Amino acid sequence: MSISEICIRRPVFTWVLVAIPVVLGLVAYMSLGVDLFPKVDFPVVTVVANLPGASAEEVETSVTKPLEEAINQVSGIDELRSTTREGFATIVVQFKLEKSGDVGAQEVRDKVASIIKQLPQGMDPPIVNRFDLDAAPIITLAVSGRRDVREVTELAKHQIQEQLQTVSGVGAVFLSGGRTRAINVVVNTDLLASFELSIEDVRQALITQNLEVPGGIIQQGSREMVLRTLGRMQSAAQFNELIVANRKGHPIRVRDIGRAEDATEEPRGMSRLDGQAAVSLFIQKQSGTNTVAISDAVQARLAIISAALPPDIKIEIIQDQSRFIRESMAEVKFHLLLAAMLVSGTILLFIRDWRTTVIATLAIPTSIIPTFLFMQYMGFTINNITMIGLILAIGIVIDDAVVVHENIFRHMEEFGKDAMTAARDGTKEIALAVMATSLSLVVIFVPVAFMGGLVGRFFSSFGLVVAFAVVMSLFVSFTLTPMLCAHFLKLDHSEAGQAKSKAGWIYRATEGFSGVALRWALRHRIVTIVVCVLVFFATVPIASQVGANLVPRDDQSEFQVSFITPEGYTLERTNEVITEIEGRLIGLPGVIHHFTIIGENTGNAGKGQGDVTRGSLYFRIKELDERQYTQFDVMKRARTILRDYPDLRTAVSDVSAIGGNGQDSRTFQVS
């Protein structure tokens, strides 16, 4: 006895058999991660080495080249590139896609560790990081207030950053653009020379006398106590009394050769929101977590934090990756529902029977919803690629049910069989053809999951999701559809005695057109074949005229301008030039917010002391439905303005939807 016959005879069993994967799919849907794109493992490793105070040439000779020579021995490297600047070097190792990123990172660590002793003294240990798409910040905050930047920094660090780090799913929170308290020692070089001292003597004195050291353990009878020597200085006055050296029995203190000031660290960057100085916070999520859920949790925590802050302190969300994800997913879900409604409406239009429409339409949810369980098992997320796969699958999954249903309907209509007999005979007759059709679709989509290259990495989930939905539709067409037809399907006749589905003008028009087209094609076989061949080969020149891109350029109502000022510019000079550019760019149509970062970025390791000649400007413009022009029109006008600054290297680009791999998000780059 076939599974169809069992399901026809046991309707309750059939409902349970179909309900189990549907219920499990609904549960899986609630726990699936939501993201813009699938998580893709890029085998890219970065090595960052800091040698404070060294020139770019010295870093290249003593640090970059030895590291490159050692790393180059690792197998499977596709590209090895390095950037050397004053005080630090960054080496990016890009492996071939076939190589595991974890294996590559470990091999690079081993090679770097093998030459540590050959690197210069005083150098920080090189940091080896494996590139992760999730390392890109998902939320950028700007904290500002009507008070000194140092105070704002302290509030941002202790009352905002530390609390956000405890939010579930948050991986790290980096602070940028702040001013940190520091005791600066200003030395008079003439006085220093008169005492026959060098700046190194002052530095060593500060290191050796401003520290706390463990003092060991003291036993006092039956008790044991740990001794700690307190030597840390807390104020500028204490530093002024610090003894640098002794000359003829007289101590020479810091106040004798200069002074100590309670101030801030030398600024190597700044950030501002809409022209007002601000402290930036960049929030990263933990790898593989739900971007939208973390954004919700962060915003809920910010509401609590804001209530406890002074009234003049404002927290603005500058960038929120979940905003575009929500809009994109809402649009995709709408089209998913629209596709289901259109498919059902088409069936109702042609067959004109509500029972038939319900039976066929049930194949959509019973095939699509269990796919979420498969996605959870495979570690996929709900993203643009998987949802597009489900939209495509809607038109496919209903085919099997319609074919089986139509054949059962034909047995009732042409042979006068009752619904039970027609369901059994009709399903058995068409089963092999339906199975062949479904398996041919599976054979088409499954290989997509095994495509090579970067495109294959992105579309692997697409192929598997569609293939599983097709398999589920085959299962439904052999279980639920025959059972529903056997118990609920009725044959309605028109007044002329015809089946109702064949009595309408739509059926007659469709049948007449298809008959005419078929007869013409059979009479003109050579012409038909030639036209088909021409259409097939015409796709090649047509396809060559269509643009190709890995990720579509969406109008996200935001763009950024990255810039590099001439080498040697100070922070003040860079700020002066960028402030002038800001003033012109904020006049562009639709600009509602602008956020500027100079020098420092997200706080990632390897940026050294902060390159004050580099930075970016972020612009938020009105939403798409509030304007008649596109984001790309605004970007084009921004490029026109930037032509007036030939000394600067600037690039106007989209805000990258995919995290970088050591490069920025510009569309075209030349090394």
Side-chain angles (χ1 to χ4, degrees):
M1 188 181 295
S2 66
I3 186 172
S4 299
E5 293 183 52
I6 296 173
C7 291
I8 290 169
R9 294 184 179 185
R10 300 286 185 268
V12 175
F13 168 76
T14 307
W15 281 117
V16 172
L17 190 65
V18 174
I20 289 173
V22 171
V23 171
L24 292 176
L26 287 171
V27 173
Y29 174 79
M30 303 302 293
S31 60
L32 278 174
V34 181
D35 225 324
L36 196 59
F37 293 105
K39 179 168 174 54
V40 178
D41 176 24
F42 289 100
V44 176
V45 178
T46 58
V47 181
V48 175
N50 290 326
L51 184 60
S55 65
E57 292 77 9
E58 183 183 353
V59 174
E60 181 184 26
T61 304
S62 59
V63 178
T64 307
K65 287 187 176 179
L67 285 173
E68 282 185 329
E69 291 170 0
I71 294 169
N72 198 45
Q73 301 172 31
V74 177
S75 62
I77 294 178
D78 184 41
E79 184 180 283
L80 179 65
R81 63 180 182 273
S82 63
T83 303
T84 305
R85 298 196 183 99
E86 182 180 338
F88 74 96
T90 303
I91 300 173
V92 179
V93 188
Q94 185 170 328
F95 291 97
K96 295 177 181 176
L97 287 173
E98 297 77 25
K99 181 147 187 169
S100 166
D102 291 329
V103 173
Q106 188 55 52
E107 291 179 356
V108 170
R109 287 190 189 97
D110 293 341
K111 291 299 181 182
V112 170
S114 67
I115 64 161
I116 286 291
K117 293 184 179 179
Q118 301 175 27
L119 298 176
Q121 290 186 353
M123 174 182 163
D124 299 335
I127 301 171
V128 180
N129 286 320
R130 180 181 162 225
F131 168 72
D132 186 1
L133 269 178
D134 289 340
I138 62 169
I139 299 177
T140 302
L141 304 176
V143 183
S144 59
R146 297 188 301 273
R147 58 183 69 198
D148 186 69
V149 178
R150 177 171 157 181
E151 290 184 58
V152 176
T153 304
E154 290 297 312
L155 287 168
K157 183 176 181 180
H158 298 294
Q159 296 194 38
I160 302 174
Q161 181 185 22
E162 292 177 0
Q163 291 200 48
L164 291 179
Q165 286 172 335
T166 63
V167 174
S168 177
V170 171
V173 181
F174 295 110
L175 188 147
S176 176
R179 298 288 181 268
T180 306
R181 181 191 179 215
I183 302 294
N184 295 328
V185 177
V186 182
V187 177
N188 185 314
T189 53
D190 293 334
L191 291 174
L192 200 66
S194 67
F195 287 112
E196 298 181 348
L197 294 172
S198 66
I199 197 70
E200 180 63 21
D201 294 328
V202 179
R203 193 178 74 88
Q204 286 297 329
L206 290 169
I207 292 173
T208 55
Q209 296 184 52
N210 179 39
L211 78 167
E212 295 181 4
V213 293
I217 298 173
I218 297 177
Q219 292 184 350
Q220 189 178 39
S222 59
R223 298 177 62 194
E224 185 176 85
M225 294 182 292
V226 177
L227 181 66
R228 186 162 60 97
T229 304
L230 301 177
R232 284 281 184 190
M233 300 179 186
Q234 303 296 327
S235 65
Q238 290 176 315
F239 274 94
N240 279 320
E241 298 301 320
L242 185 143
I243 298 174
V244 177
N246 279 283
R247 290 290 183 267
K248 299 179 181 180
H250 297 285
I252 301 171
R253 304 178 187 275
V254 169
R255 56 181 165 81
D256 297 325
I257 56 172
R259 68 184 186 280
E261 301 176 335
D262 192 338
T264 59
E265 291 182 353
E266 179 188 358
R268 299 297 298 171
M270 62 173 60
S271 61
R272 56 176 173 265
L273 172 65
D274 297 332
Q276 183 179 3
V279 177
S280 313
L281 292 172
F282 301 89
I283 302 172
Q284 291 180 357
K285 68 172 186 174
Q286 294 172 355
S287 182
T289 49
N290 189 327
T291 302
V292 174
I294 294 171
S295 175
D296 290 339
V298 167
Q299 292 186 48
R301 182 65 63 86
L302 284 175
I304 299 172
I305 294 171
S306 298
L309 290 173
D312 66 302
I313 298 295
K314 292 196 306 180
I315 305 176
E316 293 276 353
I317 297 178
I318 306 304
Q319 286 178 276
D320 184 359
Q321 201 178 90
S322 71
R323 179 184 64 87
F324 186 68
I325 293 175
R326 291 177 208 272
E327 294 176 0
S328 181
M329 286 298 104
E331 194 71 16
V332 170
K333 288 175 183 177
F334 168 75
H335 283 91
L336 187 67
L337 181 61
L338 181 63
M341 293 172 62
L342 290 175
V343 168
S344 303
T346 304
I347 294 172
L348 181 61
L349 182 66
F350 277 89
I351 299 181
R352 297 196 300 162
D353 180 61
W354 69 269
R355 295 184 187 88
T356 297
T357 304
V358 171
I359 292 171
T361 305
L362 275 174
I364 297 176
T366 51
S367 301
I368 297 295
I369 294 175
T371 308
F372 294 122
L373 179 64
F374 172 75
M375 289 168 59
Q376 185 187 51
Y377 175 77
M378 295 297 295
F380 299 154
T381 60
I382 297 175
N383 54 67
N384 275 347
I385 303 299
T386 52
M387 292 299 282
I388 288 171
L390 292 179
I391 291 175
L392 175 66
I394 282 181
I396 298 173
V397 298
I398 203 170
D399 284 351
D400 291 341
V402 169
V403 170
V404 171
H405 176 279
E406 197 278 334
N407 201 51
I408 294 170
F409 192 86
R410 186 178 66 86
H411 275 257
M412 294 174 64
E413 186 180 58
E414 294 183 5
F415 304 118
K417 297 179 182 179
D418 63 275
M420 187 75 71
T421 306
R424 184 173 59 249
D425 296 344
T427 305
K428 186 177 181 181
E429 182 183 47
I430 204 72
L432 190 61
V434 171
M435 187 178 296
T437 305
S438 298
L439 293 181
S440 66
L441 290 170
V442 171
V443 168
I444 290 171
F445 284 104
V446 166
V448 174
F450 300 98
M451 287 172 59
L454 194 58
V455 176
R457 296 292 179 93
F458 269 89
F459 282 89
S460 62
S461 57
F462 172 85
L464 292 176
V465 164
V466 176
F468 183 83
V470 170
V471 171
M472 276 304 303
S473 74
L474 181 63
F475 170 75
V476 169
S477 67
F478 285 165
T479 54
L480 184 65
T481 302
M483 185 275 290
L484 291 174
C485 287
H487 292 276
F488 298 102
L489 192 60
K490 292 182 180 180
L491 189 63
D492 294 330
H493 291 276
S494 66
E495 294 178 0
Q498 293 177 303
K500 192 176 179 181
S501 63
K502 296 182 179 179
W505 66 269
I506 295 177
Y507 177 84
R508 291 195 299 271
T510 305
E511 185 182 40
F513 174 77
S514 61
V516 171
L518 182 59
R519 284 191 293 272
W520 187 92
L522 291 175
R523 285 198 302 267
H524 304 84
R525 298 176 186 177
I526 295 177
V527 175
T528 303
I529 293 172
V530 170
V531 170
C532 291
V533 171
L534 289 175
V535 169
F536 176 78
F537 284 105
T539 58
V540 177
I542 292 173
S544 65
Q545 300 301 313
V546 179
N549 210 339
L550 175 63
V551 179
R553 291 189 67 192
D554 293 312
D555 190 329
Q556 301 186 32
S557 302
E558 58 184 6
F559 68 93
Q560 64 184 16
V561 178
S562 54
F563 60 84
I564 304 175
T565 56
E567 200 70 32
Y569 267 34
T570 63
L571 179 62
E572 290 72 19
R573 177 56 181 155
T574 298
N575 181 46
E576 182 182 328
V577 174
I578 299 307
T579 302
E580 180 184 336
I581 294 175
E582 266 184 59
R584 297 183 64 183
L585 292 179
I586 60 176
L588 291 171
V591 172
I592 54 177
H593 286 301
H594 65 283
F595 181 59
T596 306
I597 297 178
I598 301 175
E600 299 173 355
N601 55 12
T602 60
N604 292 336
K607 299 304 178 185
Q609 297 291 318
D611 190 343
V612 298
T613 63
R614 295 170 180 261
S616 65
L617 295 95
Y618 166 84
F619 291 92
R620 181 79 175 274
I621 61 177
K622 293 178 181 178
E623 295 298 334
L624 188 57
D625 56 359
E626 299 176 11
R627 48 187 162 87
Q628 301 298 320
Y629 45 87
T630 68
Q631 164 189 316
F632 312 111
D633 296 332
V634 181
M635 293 168 66
K636 193 177 296 184
R637 293 183 63 172
R639 292 188 182 99
T640 304
I641 292 173
L642 292 170
R643 288 177 190 163
D644 297 337
Y645 300 88
D647 292 342
L648 272 63
R649 292 170 58 190
T650 58
V652 182
S653 57
D654 305 333
V655 176
S656 179
I658 305 176
N661 60 347
Q663 306 180 68
D664 58 30
S665 59
R666 301 180 208 184
T667 305
F668 183 73
Q669 299 178 69
V670 177
S671 295

